[in-house]
Amino acid sequence: MAQTQHRTVAQDAAKGLMVIAVVFFHCYLMTFTNHADALTKFNILGALFPFLLSSFFFYAGYNYTPNERTFKENIIRRSKQLLIPLAVAFVVSTVLISSMELAFNHNDIQGAFQNIGNSILYSLMSEPLSWIVGFPKSGGIVFEIVLALGLLWFLYALFICSIFFYLLVKYTNKKLSTLISVVVGLLILAFVLGQFVGVYLPYTVQSYPVILAIMLTAAHLRKHHFLNKRARTKKDIILKGINVLIAEGIIVGTCLTCYFQFGATTTGSLPGGKFDYVLKGFDAFISFAFGILGTYFLHTICRLLRYVPFLGKSLQWVGNHSAMFYLFHPIFLDLTAITIFQKKIVWGVGQAFFYVAVVAILLTGTCLLIDFIIKKTRNKQIADEIRKNEAPEDLVLENEQPNEQ
């Protein structure tokens, strides 16, 4: 679905902004002794940008273009895009963070091993299922490992939703009435799950209908150039500006209303795929609306940011490396927390900004190094191919001799 040739500079910049925000949120979590408290306290940034995760799913659907691939071919391709990175991230994160934890707790190696094992099983079971069965019975868990492995929900959720997406998108793209019927049905299913079963079910299944609804709607909106319509006249520019303000105004207004009236602190944000504990099933409808309105707002802003020297290019570069930033930032976050602060909260919430700065620098350096290695490898392959295809000099000279006959 995410084909490079159909992506835009604005989309890459938007993904850059979103992944930086995700990194900041996880750094913010590290400043709480009880990490769950971060979700129970209202944060104005959460009211301004609650659509970050929904927008990633929106782009996944928006980048779809009809092609001649079969359903099986699409799924195989999607498996390579999502399941292979999932497996790599699982192994790398587990090995590196576990090693840091063992080094940090070198005085109690046996206890550290138990906690690491608990954390891996806790993540494999998914947090909600672990709560249901009361796991672990003894020992503790390592938050950093759970965070790193918990992030992978995005990949398997997107893969599962992609299966249904490919089954349905050809039909929902043909007729608007079909799209509306399917989307309404999906949102009702999500509402029932969130309202009567649970806001945070094993493997975040309650969010799948919302994710699928967002992806299908985005694929349909692409036909009408929803994100990339050109403003050709002054009137078009003014109208687009008004639309952007209205979209963000609805988002902020909804978040503030839900907080002050009902005490909801994560309205429409789908943290870890869960619905807000106060809004329950109603959060499904809000998350869907935020995914569309929020992406329109963010994408339009990023179309302007690309003209800002350095900033636009920097965000685009981060967006191009968003997978690396998203999947592996917990490793550098844990490294920073252990080596510099010994896992202590010294500066309060302000410590989150320091975490972000260090993690961003380390991730940027890592990405630049990987890019350099890849470029060198490709250049060597090209040079080898050229040398392989070149004819020997004596053969060339022989072929150039005139035919005496």
Coordinates of all heavy atoms in Angstrom, one line a residue, residues 54-134:
S54 N -3.9 7.6 14.5 CA -4.9 7.4 13.5 C -4.4 7.9 12.1 O -4.8 7.4 11.1 CB -6.2 8.2 13.9 OG -6.7 7.7 15.1
S55 N -3.6 8.9 12.1 CA -3.1 9.5 10.9 C -2.1 8.5 10.2 O -2.1 8.4 8.9 CB -2.4 10.8 11.1 OG -3.3 11.8 11.5
F56 N -1.4 7.7 10.9 CA -0.5 6.7 10.3 C -1.4 5.7 9.6 O -1.1 5.3 8.5 CB 0.3 6.0 11.4 CG 1.6 6.7 11.7 CD1 1.8 7.2 13.0 CD2 2.6 6.8 10.8 CE1 2.9 7.9 13.4 CE2 3.8 7.4 11.2 CZ 4.0 8.0 12.4
F57 N -2.5 5.3 10.2 CA -3.4 4.4 9.5 C -4.1 5.0 8.3 O -4.3 4.3 7.3 CB -4.5 3.8 10.5 CG -3.9 3.0 11.6 CD1 -4.0 3.4 13.0 CD2 -3.2 1.8 11.3 CE1 -3.5 2.6 14.0 CE2 -2.7 1.0 12.3 CZ -2.8 1.4 13.7
F58 N -4.4 6.3 8.4 CA -5.0 7.0 7.3 C -4.1 7.0 6.1 O -4.5 6.7 5.0 CB -5.3 8.4 7.7 CG -6.1 9.2 6.7 CD1 -7.5 9.3 6.7 CD2 -5.4 9.8 5.6 CE1 -8.2 10.0 5.7 CE2 -6.1 10.5 4.6 CZ -7.5 10.6 4.7
Y59 N -2.8 7.3 6.3 CA -1.9 7.3 5.2 C -1.7 5.9 4.6 O -1.5 5.8 3.4 CB -0.5 7.8 5.7 CG -0.4 9.3 5.8 CD1 0.0 10.0 6.9 CD2 -0.7 10.1 4.7 CE1 0.1 11.3 7.0 CE2 -0.6 11.5 4.7 CZ -0.2 12.1 5.9 OH -0.1 13.5 5.9
A60 N -1.8 4.9 5.4 CA -1.7 3.5 4.9 C -2.8 3.2 3.9 O -2.6 2.6 2.9 CB -1.7 2.5 6.1
G61 N -4.0 3.7 4.2 CA -5.1 3.5 3.3 C -5.0 4.5 2.1 O -5.4 4.1 1.0
Y62 N -4.6 5.7 2.4 CA -4.6 6.7 1.3 C -3.6 6.4 0.3 O -3.7 6.8 -0.9 CB -4.2 8.1 2.0 CG -4.5 9.3 1.1 CD1 -5.8 9.8 1.0 CD2 -3.5 9.9 0.4 CE1 -6.0 10.9 0.2 CE2 -3.7 11.0 -0.4 CZ -5.0 11.5 -0.5 OH -5.3 12.6 -1.3
N63 N -2.5 5.7 0.6 CA -1.4 5.4 -0.4 C -1.8 4.2 -1.3 O -1.0 3.8 -2.1 CB -0.1 5.1 0.4 CG 0.5 6.3 0.9 OD1 0.3 7.5 0.5 ND2 1.3 6.2 2.0
Y64 N -3.0 3.6 -1.0 CA -3.4 2.5 -1.9 C -3.7 3.0 -3.3 O -4.4 4.0 -3.4 CB -4.6 1.8 -1.2 CG -5.3 0.8 -2.2 CD1 -4.7 -0.5 -2.4 CD2 -6.4 1.2 -2.9 CE1 -5.3 -1.4 -3.2 CE2 -7.0 0.3 -3.8 CZ -6.5 -1.0 -3.9 OH -7.1 -1.9 -4.8
T65 N -3.3 2.3 -4.3 CA -3.7 2.5 -5.6 C -4.1 1.2 -6.3 O -3.4 0.1 -6.0 CB -2.5 3.1 -6.5 OG1 -1.4 2.3 -6.3 CG2 -2.2 4.5 -6.0
P66 N -5.1 1.1 -7.0 CA -5.5 -0.1 -7.7 C -4.4 -0.7 -8.5 O -3.7 0.1 -9.2 CB -6.7 0.3 -8.5 CG -7.2 1.5 -7.9 CD -6.0 2.2 -7.4
N67 N -4.2 -2.0 -8.5 CA -3.1 -2.6 -9.3 C -3.6 -4.0 -9.7 O -4.7 -4.4 -9.4 CB -1.8 -2.7 -8.5 CG -2.0 -3.3 -7.1 OD1 -2.5 -4.4 -7.0 ND2 -1.6 -2.6 -6.1
E68 N -2.7 -4.6 -10.5 CA -3.1 -5.9 -11.0 C -2.6 -7.1 -10.1 O -2.8 -8.2 -10.5 CB -2.4 -6.1 -12.4 CG -3.0 -5.1 -13.4 CD -2.3 -5.3 -14.8 OE1 -1.4 -6.1 -14.9 OE2 -2.7 -4.6 -15.7
R69 N -2.2 -6.8 -8.9 CA -1.8 -7.8 -8.0 C -3.0 -8.6 -7.5 O -4.0 -8.0 -7.2 CB -1.0 -7.3 -6.8 CG 0.3 -6.7 -7.1 CD 1.1 -6.3 -5.8 NE 2.3 -5.6 -6.1 CZ 2.4 -4.3 -6.0 NH1 1.3 -3.6 -5.7 NH2 3.5 -3.7 -6.3
T70 N -2.8 -9.9 -7.3 CA -3.9 -10.7 -6.7 C -3.9 -10.4 -5.2 O -3.0 -9.9 -4.6 CB -3.7 -12.2 -7.0 OG1 -2.5 -12.6 -6.3 CG2 -3.6 -12.4 -8.5
F71 N -5.0 -10.9 -4.5 CA -5.1 -10.8 -3.1 C -3.9 -11.4 -2.4 O -3.3 -10.9 -1.5 CB -6.4 -11.4 -2.6 CG -6.5 -11.4 -1.1 CD1 -6.8 -10.3 -0.4 CD2 -6.3 -12.7 -0.4 CE1 -6.9 -10.4 1.0 CE2 -6.4 -12.7 0.9 CZ -6.7 -11.6 1.7
K72 N -3.5 -12.6 -2.9 CA -2.4 -13.4 -2.3 C -1.1 -12.6 -2.5 O -0.3 -12.5 -1.5 CB -2.3 -14.7 -3.0 CG -1.2 -15.6 -2.4 CD -1.1 -16.9 -3.1 CE 0.1 -17.8 -2.6 NZ 0.1 -19.1 -3.3
E73 N -0.9 -12.0 -3.6 CA 0.3 -11.2 -3.9 C 0.4 -10.0 -2.9 O 1.5 -9.7 -2.4 CB 0.4 -10.8 -5.3 CG 0.7 -12.0 -6.3 CD 0.5 -11.6 -7.7 OE1 -0.1 -10.5 -8.0 OE2 1.1 -12.3 -8.6
N74 N -0.7 -9.4 -2.8 CA -0.8 -8.2 -1.9 C -0.4 -8.6 -0.4 O 0.3 -7.9 0.3 CB -2.1 -7.5 -1.9 CG -2.3 -6.6 -3.1 OD1 -1.4 -5.9 -3.5 ND2 -3.5 -6.6 -3.7
I75 N -0.9 -9.7 0.0 CA -0.7 -10.1 1.4 C 0.7 -10.6 1.6 O 1.4 -10.3 2.6 CB -1.7 -11.3 1.8 CG1 -3.1 -10.8 1.8 CG2 -1.3 -11.8 3.2 CD1 -3.4 -9.6 2.6
I76 N 1.3 -11.2 0.6 CA 2.7 -11.6 0.7 C 3.6 -10.4 0.8 O 4.5 -10.3 1.6 CB 3.1 -12.5 -0.5 CG1 2.4 -13.9 -0.4 CG2 4.6 -12.7 -0.6 CD1 2.7 -14.7 -1.7
R77 N 3.3 -9.4 -0.1 CA 4.0 -8.1 -0.1 C 3.9 -7.4 1.3 O 4.8 -6.9 1.8 CB 3.5 -7.3 -1.2 CG 4.2 -5.9 -1.4 CD 3.8 -5.3 -2.7 NE 4.4 -4.0 -2.9 CZ 3.8 -2.9 -2.5 NH1 2.6 -2.9 -1.9 NH2 4.4 -1.7 -2.7
R78 N 2.7 -7.4 1.8 CA 2.4 -6.8 3.1 C 3.1 -7.5 4.2 O 3.6 -6.9 5.2 CB 0.9 -6.7 3.3 CG 0.5 -5.5 4.2 CD 0.8 -4.2 3.5 NE 0.4 -3.1 4.2 CZ 1.1 -2.0 4.4 NH1 2.3 -1.9 3.9 NH2 0.6 -1.0 5.1
S79 N 3.2 -8.8 4.1 CA 3.9 -9.6 5.1 C 5.4 -9.2 5.2 O 6.0 -9.0 6.3 CB 3.8 -11.1 4.8 OG 2.5 -11.5 4.8
K80 N 6.0 -9.0 4.0 CA 7.4 -8.6 4.0 C 7.6 -7.2 4.6 O 8.6 -6.9 5.2 CB 7.9 -8.6 2.5 CG 8.0 -10.0 1.9 CD 8.4 -10.0 0.5 CE 8.5 -11.4 -0.1 NZ 8.8 -11.3 -1.6
Q81 N 6.6 -6.3 4.3 CA 6.7 -4.9 4.8 C 6.5 -4.8 6.3 O 7.1 -3.9 6.9 CB 5.7 -4.0 4.1 CG 5.9 -3.8 2.6 CD 4.8 -3.1 1.9 OE1 3.7 -3.1 2.4 NE2 5.1 -2.4 0.8
L82 N 5.7 -5.7 6.9 CA 5.3 -5.5 8.3 C 5.8 -6.6 9.2 O 6.3 -6.3 10.3 CB 3.8 -5.4 8.4 CG 3.1 -4.2 7.7 CD1 1.6 -4.4 7.7 CD2 3.6 -2.9 8.3
L83 N 5.7 -7.9 8.8 CA 6.0 -9.0 9.7 C 7.5 -9.2 9.8 O 8.0 -9.5 10.9 CB 5.4 -10.3 9.2 CG 3.8 -10.2 9.2 CD1 3.3 -11.6 8.8 CD2 3.2 -9.7 10.5
I84 N 8.3 -8.9 8.7 CA 9.7 -9.1 8.9 C 10.3 -8.0 9.8 O 11.1 -8.3 10.7 CB 10.4 -9.0 7.5 CG1 10.0 -10.3 6.7 CG2 11.9 -8.9 7.6 CD1 10.6 -10.3 5.3
P85 N 9.9 -6.7 9.6 CA 10.4 -5.7 10.6 C 9.9 -6.0 12.0 O 10.7 -5.7 13.0 CB 9.7 -4.4 10.1 CG 9.5 -4.6 8.6 CD 9.2 -6.1 8.5
L86 N 8.7 -6.6 12.1 CA 8.2 -6.9 13.5 C 9.2 -7.9 14.1 O 9.5 -7.8 15.3 CB 6.8 -7.5 13.4 CG 6.1 -7.8 14.7 CD1 4.5 -7.7 14.4 CD2 6.4 -9.2 15.2
A87 N 9.5 -9.0 13.4 CA 10.4 -10.0 13.9 C 11.8 -9.4 14.2 O 12.4 -9.7 15.3 CB 10.5 -11.2 12.9
V88 N 12.3 -8.6 13.3 CA 13.7 -8.0 13.6 C 13.6 -7.1 14.8 O 14.5 -7.2 15.7 CB 14.1 -7.2 12.3 CG1 15.4 -6.4 12.6 CG2 14.3 -8.2 11.2
A89 N 12.6 -6.3 14.9 CA 12.5 -5.3 16.0 C 12.3 -6.1 17.3 O 12.9 -5.7 18.4 CB 11.3 -4.4 15.8
F90 N 11.6 -7.2 17.3 CA 11.4 -8.0 18.5 C 12.7 -8.6 19.0 O 13.0 -8.5 20.2 CB 10.4 -9.2 18.2 CG 10.0 -10.0 19.4 CD1 8.9 -9.7 20.1 CD2 10.8 -11.0 19.8 CE1 8.5 -10.4 21.3 CE2 10.5 -11.8 20.9 CZ 9.3 -11.5 21.7
V91 N 13.5 -9.2 18.1 CA 14.7 -9.8 18.5 C 15.8 -8.8 18.9 O 16.4 -8.9 20.0 CB 15.3 -10.6 17.3 CG1 16.7 -11.2 17.7 CG2 14.4 -11.8 17.0
V92 N 15.9 -7.7 18.1 CA 17.0 -6.7 18.4 C 16.6 -6.0 19.8 O 17.5 -5.8 20.6 CB 17.1 -5.7 17.3 CG1 18.0 -4.5 17.7 CG2 17.6 -6.4 16.0
S93 N 15.4 -5.6 19.9 CA 15.0 -4.9 21.1 C 15.1 -5.7 22.4 O 15.6 -5.3 23.4 CB 13.6 -4.3 21.0 OG 13.4 -3.4 19.9
T94 N 14.7 -7.0 22.2 CA 14.8 -7.9 23.4 C 16.2 -8.1 23.8 O 16.6 -8.0 25.0 CB 14.1 -9.3 23.0 OG1 12.8 -9.0 22.7 CG2 14.2 -10.2 24.2
V95 N 17.1 -8.4 22.8 CA 18.5 -8.7 23.1 C 19.2 -7.5 23.8 O 19.9 -7.6 24.8 CB 19.3 -9.2 21.9 CG1 20.8 -9.3 22.1 CG2 18.7 -10.5 21.4
L96 N 19.1 -6.3 23.1 CA 19.8 -5.1 23.6 C 19.3 -4.6 24.9 O 20.1 -4.3 25.8 CB 19.8 -4.0 22.5 CG 20.5 -4.4 21.2 CD1 20.4 -3.2 20.2 CD2 22.0 -4.7 21.5
I97 N 18.0 -4.5 25.0 CA 17.4 -3.9 26.3 C 17.6 -4.9 27.4 O 17.9 -4.5 28.6 CB 15.9 -3.6 26.1 CG1 15.8 -2.5 25.1 CG2 15.4 -3.1 27.4 CD1 14.4 -2.0 24.8
S98 N 17.5 -6.2 27.1 CA 17.8 -7.2 28.2 C 19.2 -7.1 28.7 O 19.5 -7.2 29.9 CB 17.4 -8.6 27.7 OG 16.1 -8.7 27.4
S99 N 20.1 -6.9 27.7 CA 21.5 -6.8 28.1 C 21.8 -5.6 29.0 O 22.5 -5.7 30.0 CB 22.4 -6.7 26.8 OG 22.2 -7.9 26.0
M100 N 21.1 -4.5 28.7 CA 21.3 -3.3 29.5 C 20.7 -3.5 30.9 O 21.2 -3.1 31.9 CB 20.6 -2.1 28.8 CG 21.4 -1.6 27.6 SD 20.7 -0.1 26.9 CE 19.5 -0.7 25.8
E101 N 19.6 -4.2 30.9 CA 19.0 -4.5 32.2 C 19.8 -5.4 33.1 O 19.9 -5.2 34.3 CB 17.6 -5.1 32.0 CG 16.5 -4.2 31.5 CD 16.3 -3.0 32.4 OE1 16.2 -3.2 33.7 OE2 16.1 -1.9 31.9
L102 N 20.4 -6.4 32.5 CA 21.3 -7.3 33.2 C 22.5 -6.6 33.7 O 23.0 -6.8 34.9 CB 21.8 -8.5 32.3 CG 20.7 -9.5 32.0 CD1 21.2 -10.5 30.9 CD2 20.3 -10.3 33.2
A103 N 23.1 -5.6 32.9 CA 24.2 -4.8 33.4 C 23.8 -3.9 34.5 O 24.6 -3.7 35.5 CB 24.8 -4.0 32.2
F104 N 22.6 -3.3 34.4 CA 22.1 -2.4 35.4 C 21.9 -3.1 36.8 O 22.1 -2.6 37.8 CB 20.9 -1.7 34.9 CG 20.3 -0.8 35.9 CD1 20.9 0.5 36.2 CD2 19.1 -1.0 36.6 CE1 20.3 1.4 37.1 CE2 18.5 -0.2 37.5 CZ 19.1 1.1 37.7
N105 N 21.3 -4.3 36.7 CA 21.0 -5.1 37.9 C 22.0 -6.3 38.1 O 21.7 -7.4 38.4 CB 19.6 -5.7 37.7 CG 18.5 -4.7 37.6 OD1 18.3 -3.9 38.6 ND2 17.9 -4.5 36.5
H106 N 23.3 -5.9 37.9 CA 24.3 -7.0 38.0 C 24.4 -7.6 39.4 O 25.0 -8.7 39.6 CB 25.7 -6.4 37.6 CG 26.2 -5.3 38.5 ND1 25.8 -4.0 38.3 CD2 27.0 -5.3 39.6 CE1 26.3 -3.2 39.2 NE2 27.0 -3.9 40.0
N107 N 23.9 -7.0 40.4 CA 23.9 -7.5 41.8 C 22.9 -8.6 42.0 O 22.9 -9.3 43.0 CB 23.8 -6.4 42.8 CG 25.0 -5.5 42.8 OD1 26.1 -5.9 42.6 ND2 24.8 -4.2 43.1
D108 N 21.9 -8.6 41.1 CA 20.8 -9.6 41.2 C 20.5 -10.2 39.9 O 19.4 -9.9 39.3 CB 19.6 -9.0 41.8 CG 18.4 -10.0 42.1 OD1 18.7 -11.2 42.1 OD2 17.3 -9.5 42.3
I109 N 21.4 -11.0 39.3 CA 21.3 -11.5 38.0 C 20.1 -12.4 37.9 O 19.4 -12.4 36.9 CB 22.6 -12.3 37.6 CG1 23.8 -11.3 37.5 CG2 22.4 -12.9 36.2 CD1 23.6 -10.2 36.4
Q110 N 19.9 -13.3 38.9 CA 18.8 -14.2 38.8 C 17.5 -13.5 38.8 O 16.6 -13.8 38.0 CB 18.8 -15.2 40.1 CG 17.8 -16.2 40.0 CD 17.9 -17.2 41.2 OE1 18.8 -17.1 42.0 NE2 16.9 -18.1 41.3
G111 N 17.3 -12.5 39.6 CA 16.1 -11.7 39.6 C 15.9 -10.9 38.3 O 14.8 -10.8 37.8
A112 N 17.0 -10.4 37.8 CA 16.9 -9.7 36.5 C 16.4 -10.6 35.4 O 15.6 -10.2 34.6 CB 18.3 -9.1 36.2
F113 N 17.0 -11.8 35.4 CA 16.6 -12.8 34.3 C 15.1 -13.1 34.5 O 14.4 -13.3 33.5 CB 17.4 -14.1 34.4 CG 18.6 -14.1 33.6 CD1 19.9 -14.1 34.1 CD2 18.5 -14.1 32.2 CE1 21.0 -14.1 33.3 CE2 19.6 -14.1 31.4 CZ 20.9 -14.1 31.9
Q114 N 14.6 -13.3 35.7 CA 13.2 -13.6 35.9 C 12.3 -12.4 35.4 O 11.3 -12.6 34.8 CB 12.9 -13.8 37.4 CG 11.4 -14.2 37.7 CD 11.2 -14.4 39.2 OE1 11.9 -14.0 40.0 NE2 10.0 -15.0 39.5
N115 N 12.7 -11.2 35.7 CA 11.9 -10.0 35.3 C 11.9 -9.9 33.8 O 10.9 -9.5 33.2 CB 12.5 -8.8 35.9 CG 12.3 -8.7 37.4 OD1 11.5 -9.5 38.0 ND2 13.0 -7.9 38.1
I116 N 13.1 -10.2 33.2 CA 13.2 -10.1 31.7 C 12.3 -11.2 31.1 O 11.5 -10.9 30.1 CB 14.6 -10.3 31.2 CG1 15.5 -9.1 31.6 CG2 14.7 -10.5 29.7 CD1 16.9 -9.3 31.4
G117 N 12.3 -12.4 31.6 CA 11.4 -13.4 31.1 C 10.0 -13.1 31.3 O 9.2 -13.3 30.3
N118 N 9.6 -12.6 32.4 CA 8.3 -12.1 32.7 C 7.8 -11.1 31.7 O 6.7 -11.1 31.1 CB 8.1 -11.6 34.1 CG 8.1 -12.6 35.2 OD1 7.9 -13.8 34.9 ND2 8.3 -12.2 36.4
S119 N 8.7 -10.1 31.4 CA 8.4 -9.0 30.5 C 8.2 -9.5 29.0 O 7.2 -9.0 28.4 CB 9.6 -8.0 30.5 OG 9.8 -7.5 31.8
I120 N 9.0 -10.5 28.6 CA 8.8 -11.0 27.3 C 7.5 -11.8 27.2 O 6.7 -11.6 26.2 CB 10.0 -12.0 26.9 CG1 11.3 -11.2 26.8 CG2 9.7 -12.7 25.6 CD1 12.5 -12.0 26.7
L121 N 7.2 -12.6 28.1 CA 5.9 -13.4 28.1 C 4.7 -12.4 28.3 O 3.7 -12.6 27.6 CB 5.9 -14.4 29.3 CG 6.8 -15.6 29.1 CD1 6.8 -16.5 30.3 CD2 6.4 -16.4 27.9
Y122 N 4.9 -11.4 29.1 CA 3.8 -10.4 29.3 C 3.5 -9.7 28.0 O 2.3 -9.5 27.6 CB 4.4 -9.4 30.3 CG 3.4 -8.3 30.7 CD1 2.6 -8.5 31.9 CD2 3.4 -7.1 30.1 CE1 1.8 -7.4 32.3 CE2 2.5 -6.1 30.5 CZ 1.7 -6.2 31.6 OH 0.9 -5.2 32.0
S123 N 4.5 -9.4 27.2 CA 4.3 -8.7 25.9 C 3.7 -9.7 24.9 O 2.9 -9.3 24.1 CB 5.6 -8.2 25.4 OG 6.2 -7.2 26.3
L124 N 4.2 -10.9 24.9 CA 3.7 -11.9 23.9 C 2.2 -12.2 24.2 O 1.4 -12.4 23.2 CB 4.5 -13.2 24.0 CG 5.9 -13.2 23.4 CD1 6.6 -14.4 23.7 CD2 5.8 -12.9 21.9
M125 N 1.8 -12.2 25.4 CA 0.4 -12.4 25.8 C -0.4 -11.2 25.5 O -1.7 -11.3 25.4 CB 0.3 -12.8 27.3 CG 0.9 -14.1 27.7 SD 1.0 -14.3 29.5 CE -0.7 -14.4 29.9
S126 N 0.2 -10.0 25.4 CA -0.4 -8.7 25.3 C -0.9 -8.3 26.7 O -1.3 -9.1 27.6 CB -1.6 -8.7 24.4 OG -2.8 -9.1 24.9
E127 N -0.7 -7.0 27.0 CA -1.0 -6.5 28.3 C -2.4 -6.8 28.9 O -2.5 -7.3 30.0 CB -0.7 -5.0 28.4 CG -0.8 -4.4 29.7 CD -0.3 -2.9 29.7 OE1 -1.0 -2.1 29.1 OE2 0.7 -2.6 30.3
P128 N -3.4 -6.7 28.1 CA -4.8 -6.9 28.6 C -5.0 -8.4 29.0 O -5.6 -8.7 30.1 CB -5.7 -6.6 27.4 CG -4.9 -5.6 26.6 CD -3.5 -6.1 26.7
L129 N -4.5 -9.3 28.2 CA -4.6 -10.8 28.6 C -3.8 -11.1 29.8 O -4.2 -11.9 30.6 CB -4.1 -11.6 27.4 CG -4.3 -13.1 27.6 CD1 -5.7 -13.5 27.8 CD2 -3.7 -13.9 26.3
S130 N -2.6 -10.4 29.9 CA -1.8 -10.6 31.2 C -2.5 -10.2 32.4 O -2.5 -10.8 33.4 CB -0.5 -9.8 31.0 OG 0.3 -10.3 29.9
W131 N -3.2 -9.1 32.3 CA -4.0 -8.6 33.4 C -5.2 -9.6 33.8 O -5.4 -9.8 34.9 CB -4.7 -7.2 33.1 CG -3.7 -6.1 33.0 CD1 -2.4 -6.1 33.4 CD2 -3.9 -4.8 32.5 NE1 -1.8 -4.9 33.1 CE2 -2.7 -4.1 32.6 CE3 -5.0 -4.1 31.9 CZ2 -2.6 -2.7 32.2 CZ3 -4.9 -2.8 31.5 CH2 -3.7 -2.1 31.7
I132 N -5.8 -10.1 32.7 CA -6.9 -11.0 32.9 C -6.5 -12.3 33.7 O -7.2 -12.7 34.6 CB -7.6 -11.4 31.6 CG1 -8.2 -10.2 30.9 CG2 -8.6 -12.5 31.8 CD1 -8.7 -10.4 29.5
V133 N -5.3 -12.8 33.3 CA -4.9 -14.1 33.9 C -4.0 -13.8 35.2 O -3.6 -14.8 35.8 CB -4.1 -15.0 32.9 CG1 -5.0 -15.3 31.7 CG2 -2.8 -14.3 32.5
G134 N -3.8 -12.6 35.5 CA -3.0 -12.2 36.7 C -1.5 -12.5 36.5 O -0.9 -13.0 37.5

